[in-house]
């Protein structure tokens, strides 16, 4: 019943992103989930292929990972016109953690290690609530609303009041992710979860999952899905009983060309 036999984490250097684009909406469980570790905090071992993948995805403002640049000092290269600002005003990174508008700094909740983001519709709120409950207080939560309902969540769920809400009608989670999960904003987090609203989470435990991901140094992964419940889009996403994780590497048989499907879409 524990997580380990139930979930098999999948390393899909590129495939994880493909799944999000190619899965019809009617499936349960849907395959559009993914976890992106962020190498900025040093938790994940970022090899060249993975960082170049993220670099491509976030190309325009991805911070220089050579490690010798000034970005590592925590102060961004000053934009044109910022010359008169005092030090500390221009920084290279921030996060999605809520700050107090008034009161004492001691009232601030501690900074979180992980980020949970979901594109949600109000109709799926019961499952979203169940999902959020599965993620501990080590997570900042961001909800992307595609149906225009936002304030209703606060009325029903206490946790919603501490979540960030972004609303844009009829957009996909990738639309939101590309625009609101900017590298400089997610950099402080060890792992970023880009989760589906309709995943069954009965047998899921977030921290145990992260332990597996860390242990195997997975850059992009998703929990293995139970093929008996819902539609299978890719073999690699189906849970196997052969161990705690299995993976497909870019360049392998399943993904000979990273510019073609199913490695990119
Ligand atoms: C990162 O991966 C490389 C090769 O895969 C390995 O030699 C190195 O020890 C790893 N570094 C860390 C910090 O895990
Ligand atoms: C990163 O920094 C190195 C050395 O400072 C430089 O050669 C390289 O072009 C930079 N890369 C990017 C993407 O800015
Ligand atoms: C860091 O910034 C200083 C001052 O702006 C500059 O002289 C130096 O070349 C920069 N170093 C790198 C690696 O970009
Ligand atoms: C949210 O989920 C928790 C845990 O499953 C449950 O106890 C709680 O009643 C749910 N809240 C609502 C408003 O449904
Ligand atoms: C959770 O795991 C148990 C035991 O493997 C299984 O019977 C149950 O159907 C699973 N629940 C879901 C929602 O997958």
């Amino acid at each position: 019943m524990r997580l380990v036999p139930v979930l098999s984490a999948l390393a899909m250097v590129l495939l994880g992103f493909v799944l999000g684009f190619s899965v019809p909406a009617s499936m349960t469980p849907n395959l559009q989930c993914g976890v992106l570790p962020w190498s900025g905090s040093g938790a994940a071992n970022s090899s060249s292929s993975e960082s170049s993948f993220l670099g491509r995805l976030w190309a325009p403002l991805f911070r220089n990972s050579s490690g010798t640049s000034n970005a590592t000092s925590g102060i961004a290269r000053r934009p044109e016109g910022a010359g008169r600002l005092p030090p500390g005003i221009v920084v290279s990174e921030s996060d999605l953690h809520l700050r107090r508008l008034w009161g004492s700094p001691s009232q601030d909740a501690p900074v979180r290690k992980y980020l949970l983001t979901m594109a949600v519709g109000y109709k799926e709120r019961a499952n979203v609530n169940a999902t959020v409950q599965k993620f501990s207080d080590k997570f900042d939560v961001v909800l992307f609303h595609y149906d225009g309902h936002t304030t209703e969540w606060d009325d029903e769920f206490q946790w919603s009041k501490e979540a960030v809400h972004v609303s844009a009608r009829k957009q996909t989670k990738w639309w939101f992710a590309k625009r609101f999960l900017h590298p400089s904003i997610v950099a402080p987090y060890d792992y970023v979860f880009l989760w589906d609203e309709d995943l069954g989470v009965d047998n899921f435990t977030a921290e145990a999952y992260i332990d597996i991901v860390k242990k195997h140094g997975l850059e992009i992964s998703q929990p293995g899905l139970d093929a008996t419940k819902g539609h299978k889009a890719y073999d690699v996403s189906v849970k196997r009983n052969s161990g705690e994780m299995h993976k497909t590497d870019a360049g392998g048989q399943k993904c000979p060309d990273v510019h073609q499907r199913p490695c990119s879409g």
Side-chain angles (χ1 to χ4, degrees), residues 46 99 195 199:
S46 155
R99 266 77 182 178
W195 210 251
L199 286 172

Side-chain angles (χ1 to χ4, degrees), residues 55-106:
R56 235 184 1 262
L57 185 69
W58 304 116
L61 284 153
F62 186 68
R63 65 193 174 142
N64 196 324
S65 57
S66 67
T68 56
S69 75
N70 284 338
T72 50
S73 71
I75 299 176
R77 209 170 294 135
R78 288 172 169 247
E80 200 78 18
R84 286 166 185 269
L85 293 172
I89 295 281
V90 180
V91 293
S92 61
E93 291 175 5
S94 190
D95 55 33
L96 287 154
H97 194 61
L98 299 185
R99 266 77 182 178
R100 92 211 100 82
L101 187 54
W102 59 81
S104 130
S106 61

Side-chain angles (χ1 to χ4, degrees), residues 2-75:
R2 293 304 312 274
L3 173 82
V4 173
V6 175
L7 294 175
S8 315
L10 309 174
M12 294 178 291
V13 169
L14 297 164
L15 193 56
F17 272 80
V18 179
L19 299 179
F21 290 115
S22 51
V23 179
S26 58
M27 295 167 189
T28 335
N30 201 320
L31 291 175
Q32 303 180 25
C33 67
V35 184
L36 311 183
W38 199 258
S39 58
S41 61
N45 188 349
S46 155
S47 77
S48 58
S49 65
E50 284 113 12
S51 41
S52 69
F53 160 62
L54 288 171
R56 235 184 1 262
L57 185 69
W58 304 116
L61 284 153
F62 186 68
R63 65 193 174 142
N64 196 324
S65 57
S66 67
T68 56
S69 75
N70 284 338
T72 50
S73 71
I75 299 176

Side-chain angles (χ1 to χ4, degrees), residues 151-216:
T151 51
E152 292 92 333
W153 291 78
D154 275 9
D155 299 339
E156 236 163 292
F157 306 110
Q158 188 57 35
W159 55 260
S160 167
K161 295 174 185 165
E162 280 143 42
V164 173
H165 298 266
V166 177
S167 179
R169 284 169 194 263
K170 297 184 182 171
Q171 302 308 314
T172 66
K173 77 173 175 200
W174 297 112
W175 187 94
F176 288 107
K178 282 192 264 185
R179 287 156 183 82
F180 296 102
L181 301 183
H182 188 274
S184 60
I185 298 299
V186 298
Y189 297 101
D190 284 4
Y191 289 93
V192 177
F193 286 70
L194 192 50
W195 210 251
D196 279 357
E197 59 182 336
D198 59 353
L199 286 172
V201 289
D202 285 6
N203 291 324
F204 180 76
T205 312
E207 311 254 339
Y209 180 76
I210 287 175
D211 287 345
I212 295 175
V213 169
K214 266 191 198 156
K215 183 171 144 197
H216 295 280

